[in-house]
């Protein structure tokens, strides 16, 4: 059996829930040289984010984090009241203080089992282009979602400051992410990490399809091809599964809320082996 380091992944740990916090406290690597990807939604409060990522960094050789929408929320009960881009930058500094890699850091190259690959954490947000059928713009799409009783909490707590809208912030993040991905050594495959899936396909199984509005952007639909993805890792939907698109594997690695994972019979937080044997391209 190979003892080479593994690249593992999880997301949507939501450690505000005590059962999830216990799961995180019990996570262990297979080897002290293993790396761990955390694809967002660790928690809403800075203290909880720092606790969870700090615990994991103490056990894994590297921890790589991409923000989810929950980290970006500004809620009344969080002592950290920064909004929008300032909040994101403060989260980046928090991570750097505990030696966790972020979308603002140089992409690390994983040389273990299945490597070498450039491990690329991204932060793209969404721009309301995953619209319901028959709608033509953000306004009409939001109207359909509201009629269906589906409005994401982001509309109340995720502020885009200083950008005029979330879609404007998304556009800026796409530009920055593309710039950095283009600079990756062209001989390397990549592992693309983003809280929101880079393609719309994973949203097709949503119980409430209108929620797709808050799940990504059409502008990243070809990134898995353009940037030589071996795997794309995401969370957000709380529907852990694997799909393939254009021969590339898309892995959702969410833990989710206790009401979601308990019916699955999980007794520990799952960690997916991202570069598992037999799936290299």
């Amino acid at each position: 059996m190979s003892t080479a380091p593994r690249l593992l992944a999880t997301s949507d740990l939501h450690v505000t829930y005590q059962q999830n916090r216990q799961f995180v406290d019990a996570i262990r690597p297979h080897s002290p040289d293993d790396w761990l990807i955390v694809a967002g939604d660790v928690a809403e409060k800075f203290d909880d984010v720092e606790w969870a990522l700090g615990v994991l960094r103490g056990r894994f050789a590297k921890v790589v984090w991409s923000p989810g929408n929950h980290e970006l929320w500004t809620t009344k009960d969080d002592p950290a009241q920064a909004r929008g881009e300032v909040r994101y930058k403060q989260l980046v500094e928090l991570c750097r203080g505990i030696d966790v890699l972020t979308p603002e850091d140089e992409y690390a190259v994983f040389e273990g089992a299945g490597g070498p690959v450039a491990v690329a954490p991204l932060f793209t947000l969404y721009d309301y282009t995953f619209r319901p059928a028959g709608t033509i713009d953000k306004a009409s799409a939001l109207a359909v979602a509201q009629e269906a009783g589906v409005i994401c909490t982001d509309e109340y707590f995720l502020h885009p400051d200083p950008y005029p809208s979330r879609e404007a912030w998304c556009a800026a993040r796409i530009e920055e992410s593309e710039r950095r991905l283009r600079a990756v050594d062209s001989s390397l495959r990549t592992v693309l990490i983003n809280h929101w899936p880079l393609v719309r396909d994973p949203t097709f199984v949503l119980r409430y399809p209108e929620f797709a509005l808050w799940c990504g952007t059409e502008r990243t639909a070809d990134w898995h091809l353009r940037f030589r993805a071996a795997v794309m890792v995401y969370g957000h939907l709380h529907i852990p599964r694997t799909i393939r698109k254009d021969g590339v594997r898309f892995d959702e690695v969410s833990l989710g809320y206790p009401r979601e994972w308990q019916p699955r019979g999980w007794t520990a937080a799952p960690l997916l082996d991202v570069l598992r044997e037999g799936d290299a391209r």
Side-chain angles (χ1 to χ4, degrees):
M1 181 179 292
S2 172
T3 58
R6 302 189 206 183
L7 181 61
L8 305 171
T10 188
S11 77
D12 296 78
L13 296 173
H14 293 290
V15 300
T16 303
Y17 292 87
Q18 184 60 31
Q19 301 100 314
N20 288 31
R21 199 177 186 92
Q22 291 168 354
F23 272 18
V24 170
D25 202 30
I27 288 174
R28 296 292 188 280
H30 300 284
S31 155
D33 295 323
D34 289 347
W35 291 23
L36 181 66
I37 292 164
V38 182
D41 277 10
V42 176
E44 296 78 28
K45 295 182 182 179
F46 272 47
D47 287 351
D48 288 334
V49 173
E50 185 172 23
W51 173 81
L53 292 179
V55 164
L56 296 171
R57 178 62 188 89
R59 297 170 182 168
F60 288 82
K62 282 192 186 295
V63 173
V64 182
W65 167 80
S66 285
N69 53 316
H70 281 240
E71 286 100 331
L72 299 171
W73 286 0
T74 305
T75 59
K76 293 179 180 179
D77 58 350
D78 188 354
Q81 285 292 296
R83 293 161 55 123
E85 188 174 51
V86 171
R87 185 176 184 86
Y88 169 61
K89 289 180 177 178
Q90 290 179 356
L91 285 161
V92 168
E93 290 308 309
L94 181 158
C95 287
R96 287 173 171 170
I98 55 175
D99 193 29
V100 169
L101 295 175
T102 79
E104 306 309 308
D105 298 312
E106 182 177 353
Y107 296 152
V109 176
F110 177 75
E111 302 275 3
V117 290
V119 180
L122 307 172
F123 167 38
T124 64
L125 275 170
Y126 51 84
D127 60 4
Y128 303 92
T129 51
F130 288 0
R131 294 192 291 264
T135 61
I136 59 171
D137 55 19
K138 176 183 175 181
S140 60
L142 283 172
V144 167
Q146 188 166 14
E147 185 177 355
V150 179
I151 295 294
C152 182
T153 309
D154 290 2
E155 296 296 317
Y156 308 102
F157 295 140
L158 201 167
H159 306 287
D161 315 24
Y163 296 93
S165 63
R166 295 176 196 87
E167 54 267 40
W169 193 7
C170 173
R173 291 304 312 176
I174 287 171
E175 182 178 348
E176 172 64 10
S177 300
E178 284 185 308
R179 181 188 69 79
R180 299 196 62 218
L181 286 168
R182 285 195 298 266
V184 173
D185 183 340
S186 61
S187 69
L188 286 173
R189 297 177 303 150
T190 62
V191 173
L192 301 179
I193 306 153
N194 198 47
H195 182 64
W196 299 269
L198 296 178
V199 297
R200 185 169 183 172
D201 303 53
T203 72
F204 295 158
V205 297
L206 286 171
R207 180 176 297 178
Y208 301 102
E210 298 84 1
F211 188 74
L213 270 178
W214 294 275
C215 294
T217 168
E218 297 285 3
R219 294 180 59 183
T220 59
D222 65 349
W223 282 18
H224 59 293
L225 298 176
R226 286 175 59 200
F227 300 119
R228 307 173 304 283
V231 186
M232 193 272 141
V233 176
Y234 68 98
H236 191 54
L237 306 183
H238 294 195
I239 307 172
R241 64 181 184 136
T242 294
I243 68 168
R244 286 183 178 272
K245 186 172 178 66
D246 304 314
V248 177
R249 208 176 72 234
F250 285 72
D251 286 330
E252 174 161 358
V253 293
S254 297
L255 172 60
Y257 302 128
R259 68 176 183 271
E260 294 166 328
W261 58 254
Q262 285 172 342
R264 299 178 186 130
W266 289 353
T267 57
L271 300 182
L272 187 73
D273 189 346
V274 172
L275 297 171
R276 45 196 182 268
E277 187 176 355
D279 206 57
R281 295 199 305 138

